[in-house]
Amino acid sequence: RAPAAAVVTAGAASRAAIVAEGAALVELARAGGLVFVAGVVPAEAAAIKPGDAALVTPLGAKRTFTGKVSLRGAAVDPASGLVPIELSLPAGALLAGESAQAAITTGRVAGFVVPHAAVLVNDSGDTYVVQALGGAAQLVPVRVLLSGGESDVVDGALNEAAPLVLAGAYQLQDGMKVRSR
């Protein structure tokens, strides 16, 4: 008798076999309690925390499911070289043993995405960008929230409609006339 509604994932005995008293005959997985076990490279594992959101996509399928990180391992699995991660999923999202991939959100940053070349540093060490507003340069103080590759995420009083000055911006002062090509 199973303690709850479940799916048989393995059978340890065959028909008419003699088994020891108390030995497990079948392995069960509770349908609503499945977890998705994944692995992540050690360099990225430190950023993952229990409670982080994840988007899980079964291999070969277009449907996706949302889950949450329930456990991040504290050691590298010697067999795979990865840090184990367990994700809790909604009931019926995956079949027991089904393969899938997961994208885990480890943090969110809200701001303006600008080319890295647009972010300048003044003599005081403060960061700013230059925008062309009404044919004049406007120096806008910004705070760099995230920097990576050719783009940065900045926070500041930017005018969304005004273009950024990239070429020659270091030479401009507030209010100087500018023209675009």
Side-chain angles (χ1 to χ4, degrees), residues 97-159:
E98 187 173 5
S99 296
Q101 63 184 11
I104 301 171
T105 302
T106 57
R108 293 188 184 262
V109 175
F112 295 97
V113 178
V114 300
H116 180 71
V119 180
L120 306 172
V121 180
N122 65 19
D123 293 337
S124 304
D126 298 322
T127 52
Y128 68 99
V129 296
V130 179
Q131 288 191 285
L133 190 60
Q138 181 178 9
L139 279 62
V140 182
V142 295
R143 187 169 50 104
V144 177
L145 303 174
L146 183 65
S147 183
E150 298 191 17
S151 298
D152 294 340
V153 179
V154 299
D155 184 33
L158 287 146
N159 182 331

Side-chain angles (χ1 to χ4, degrees), residues 36 55-59 87 99-103:
F36 178 65
L55 192 61
V56 179
T57 307
L59 294 183
L87 305 172
S99 296
Q101 63 184 11

